[in-house]
Amino acid sequence: MINLLIVEDEATLSDNIKEIISDLGEIKQVYDGEEGLFEAESGVYDLILLDLMLPGKNGYEVLAELRKKNIQTPVLILTAKDSLEDKITGFQKGADDYLTKPFYREELIMRVKALLKRSLGLFDENQIVYKNISCNLATKEVTVDDNVLPIQGKEFDLLVYFIQNKGVILTKEQIFDRIWGFDSDTTITVVEVYMSHLRKHLKPTSADQLFKTLRNVGYILQKD
């Protein structure tokens, strides 16, 4: 059974989050940073949903202590703090994903599922599949309708990231942080360049039409 930990001091919101993800596993709720850290240190959880503004210890402190102790349980930050600086701090402390409040229930579900799939290896024979697109995580090979496409390196990582988050709006900042990282010497414009390359390689199969550009926001891989 999958075990999920919600660390959120607002009881009503915590209950709402629990209701949204209740079908995904067993859920434990705690309401302050100290208890959240205590529970997380047990190592029994597959995913932690962590608020930042908590009594006792804030979410950054909880996350930093977990990573310092080499506890690598995936952490999804859920917070009203939506500045780029806050997001950078969260990822630098060791967060695996960052979702700002308010959020759509469908987006929360998709992000939780994506993190669980990555952390638990919930892929059949190292394959991640969406519609007629198949990515082999072991060989880094992409096929569409059994045709192998020349998608490699960061393009491969980009495609997998979208498939893991299909139906979810991904901002350019999120994509850059996930694929290139904060220490990259390049700029965020590289996202547009690689999206163009990816679409070009998918175009002969018409799979490029599954991607939608949201002007001044980011991109989304259409769910249906």
Side-chain angles (χ1 to χ4, degrees):
M1 176 62 70
I2 294 174
N3 293 311
L4 307 171
L5 175 65
I6 300 173
V7 188
E8 167 62 61
D9 63 320
E10 295 182 32
T12 299
L13 179 55
S14 179
D15 288 342
N16 288 339
I17 295 171
K18 180 180 180 180
E19 186 274 328
I20 291 172
I21 62 173
S22 60
D23 291 337
L24 301 181
E26 294 291 329
I27 299 170
K28 171 76 174 182
Q29 296 167 273
V30 297
Y31 304 96
D32 64 70
E34 292 283 359
E35 190 176 2
L37 179 60
F38 175 79
E39 287 289 338
E41 286 177 338
S42 70
V44 302
Y45 296 98
D46 299 301
L47 177 66
I48 301 167
L49 294 89
L50 179 66
D51 186 23
L52 291 181
M53 294 179 284
L54 295 166
K57 290 181 180 292
N58 65 45
Y60 291 138
E61 293 173 324
V62 172
L63 185 52
E65 290 198 36
L66 287 177
R67 298 312 186 224
K68 184 178 180 180
K69 295 178 179 179
N70 200 32
I71 296 172
Q72 300 303 319
T73 306
V75 174
L76 169 58
I77 290 178
L78 298 176
T79 180
K81 297 169 74 69
D82 61 355
S83 72
L84 178 58
E85 182 177 352
D86 290 323
K87 293 178 181 179
I88 290 175
T89 300
F91 283 116
Q92 288 177 330
K93 295 291 185 181
D96 296 88
D97 205 350
Y98 195 111
L99 184 59
T100 56
K101 307 170 185 176
F103 47 80
Y104 292 105
R105 62 181 294 131
E106 293 82 5
E107 183 173 10
L108 175 60
I109 292 171
M110 291 303 298
R111 286 178 183 265
V112 169
K113 284 184 175 180
L115 287 173
L116 289 173
K117 285 180 179 179
R118 289 198 292 272
S119 64
L120 299 178
L122 301 178
F123 303 111
D124 295 331
E125 297 180 355
N126 288 316
Q127 297 282 339
I128 180 169
V129 179
Y130 174 64
K131 294 186 181 293
N132 59 342
I133 305 172
S134 178
C135 300
N136 188 305
L137 302 180
T139 64
K140 304 292 186 180
E141 183 178 83
V142 177
T143 58
V144 179
D145 294 328
D146 296 324
N147 297 308
V148 178
L149 301 184
I151 297 174
Q152 301 174 339
K154 296 295 187 186
E155 279 184 58
F156 179 87
D157 296 339
L158 188 60
L159 179 58
V160 169
Y161 185 41
F162 271 102
I163 293 175
Q164 291 172 332
N165 293 277
K166 55 184 175 292
V168 176
I169 296 172
L170 297 177
T171 67
K172 293 178 183 178
E173 290 81 9
Q174 287 175 310
I175 296 169
F176 182 81
D177 293 344
R178 178 71 68 178
I179 305 300
W180 283 270
F182 299 109
D183 297 329
S184 175
D185 294 329
T186 189
T187 65
I188 200 169
T189 56
V190 73
V191 174
E192 296 179 10
V193 174
Y194 272 79
M195 281 301 301
S196 177
H197 291 333
L198 178 59
R199 282 172 157 161
K200 181 178 179 180
H201 286 137
L202 291 172
K203 189 172 183 178
T205 65
S206 298
D208 62 307
Q209 297 178 20
L210 297 171
F211 289 88
K212 182 179 180 181
T213 300
L214 303 174
R215 191 168 184 175
N216 299 323
V217 177
Y219 308 89
I220 185 171
L221 177 62
Q222 299 179 60
K223 187 175 180 180
D224 299 316

